[in-house]
Amino acid sequence: MKHKIKLMLSFAKRDFQERYVGTGLGQFWYILSPLIMIFIYTVIFSDFMKMKLDIVDSKYAYSIYLVPGLLAWTSFSTTISRLNNSFFDKANLIKKINIPMYIFHVSILLTELFIFFISFLLALGFLLIIGHKITFVFLLLIPIMILQMIFSFSLGVIFSLFSPFFKDIREFIPIFLQLWFWMTPIIYMREMIENKYPFLLIYNPFSYFSSIYQDIFLFSKVPSIDKILIISSMSFLFLLLAMYLYKKMISTIKDII
């Protein structure tokens, strides 16, 4: 077990270092990418378009609403996409080295979790710069982010297990994620759809995560027990399903990749 944990950490470190290998700025892009995203949405929506939310007394209210949802979605979609392609990306390595495939899956999870934490730390820096209050409630972001990563990891692994059998899944996932993004109140307010399309909130797992992030960033609001129970049960149920499918399917997958 100790050897496998070392392997996971080693592959995660390698994955982190290789992402921007060959670029001029190297690993600095991990910081630069979310910084650019925060800057663009702050300047465009708050300064140029003068978009405001009346619910918070700040000219940056819309940016404060927008940034956590966008950063969380970026992490969510990237994790699923990378895991979905993992069997194809690592096929040569899997054939050469006798290592359980879940080592690669978990190494991707660790890399994306680390990048997710970096992006949210930068978002908190943005709040400090504009003078928005940060309270102890923000510490609740840590378990929520971990639950989100468990959920995205589980979904990504499930998709990856079916991708070698149905190669269309690889093309379908990016489109599916785009549709999912626009069905989630990240860019727009949830009040715009809650009466006309309530099912988009009730049956949309990511809407629970995004609303928790937005409430913490805007109001320092403690998430309700209901929401915590929903995202926790959802994350661990999908994790159990992913583990079950992995055990059932992995030996067949190794024969066909």
Side-chain angles (χ1 to χ4, degrees), residues 235-251:
S235 300
F236 287 109
L237 278 174
F238 272 91
L239 181 62
L240 289 173
L241 177 62
M243 292 167 66
Y244 171 79
L245 291 173
Y246 179 90
K247 285 181 181 176
K248 289 284 182 186
M249 299 170 70
I250 191 63
S251 57

Side-chain angles (χ1 to χ4, degrees), residues 72-110:
W73 178 264
T74 301
S75 170
F76 180 71
S77 58
T78 304
T79 304
I80 291 177
S81 299
R82 293 198 61 207
L83 286 164
N84 182 46
N85 294 326
S86 57
F87 282 115
F88 302 100
D89 295 341
K90 306 290 184 186
N92 288 332
L93 208 54
I94 295 168
K95 289 172 185 173
K96 290 177 184 173
I97 310 172
N98 186 24
I99 295 178
M101 185 58 204
Y102 69 81
I103 299 281
F104 297 109
H105 284 146
V106 176
S107 67
I108 291 173
L109 169 70
L110 293 174

Side-chain angles (χ1 to χ4, degrees), residues 39-57:
F39 176 76
I40 287 173
Y41 285 105
T42 302
V43 171
I44 289 178
F45 287 104
S46 296
D47 288 340
F48 290 172
M49 297 176 69
K50 307 293 183 188
M51 293 190 71
K52 292 182 179 178
L53 296 180
D54 294 331
I55 50 179
V56 174
D57 184 22

Side-chain angles (χ1 to χ4, degrees), residues 14 17 22 42 48-49 57 59-60 71 80 92-93 110 125 132 140 145-146 149 153 173 197 229 254:
R14 183 178 168 182
Q17 291 172 336
T42 302
F48 290 172
M49 297 176 69
D57 184 22
K59 75 170 188 175
Y60 295 107
L71 292 177
I80 291 177
N92 288 332
L93 208 54
L110 293 174
H132 190 72
L140 294 174
M145 292 165 74
I146 290 172
M149 291 307 295
F153 172 77
I173 292 300
Y197 306 109
L229 285 175
K254 281 185 176 178

Side-chain angles (χ1 to χ4, degrees), residues 137-201:
V137 176
F138 279 72
L139 289 173
L140 294 174
L141 288 170
I142 295 171
I144 304 300
M145 292 165 74
I146 290 172
L147 284 172
Q148 179 192 311
M149 291 307 295
I150 292 172
F151 181 58
S152 56
F153 172 77
S154 307
L155 276 184
V157 169
I158 292 170
F159 287 136
S160 75
L161 292 170
F162 287 96
S163 287
F165 300 99
F166 308 100
K167 291 191 170 51
D168 287 346
I169 291 178
R170 204 175 174 190
E171 306 302 323
F172 170 73
I173 292 300
I175 299 168
F176 171 68
L177 288 171
Q178 279 191 43
L179 286 172
W180 196 347
F181 173 78
W182 289 108
M183 287 192 293
T184 307
I186 294 173
I187 299 287
Y188 53 86
M189 301 292 290
R190 61 191 301 108
E191 288 76 12
M192 294 171 69
I193 59 170
E194 66 181 355
N195 291 325
K196 195 171 183 181
Y197 306 109
F199 61 93
L200 289 179
L201 301 176

Side-chain angles (χ1 to χ4, degrees), residues 202-247:
I202 297 169
Y203 301 111
N204 180 348
F206 198 80
S207 73
Y208 296 97
F209 286 107
S210 61
S211 69
I212 290 173
Y213 295 132
Q214 289 154 354
D215 284 346
I216 291 177
F217 268 65
L218 279 169
F219 313 112
S220 288
K221 182 179 175 184
V222 176
S224 68
I225 295 296
D226 289 351
K227 284 184 180 176
I228 295 292
L229 285 175
I230 288 171
I231 62 172
S232 300
S233 54
M234 189 171 60
S235 300
F236 287 109
L237 278 174
F238 272 91
L239 181 62
L240 289 173
L241 177 62
M243 292 167 66
Y244 171 79
L245 291 173
Y246 179 90
K247 285 181 181 176

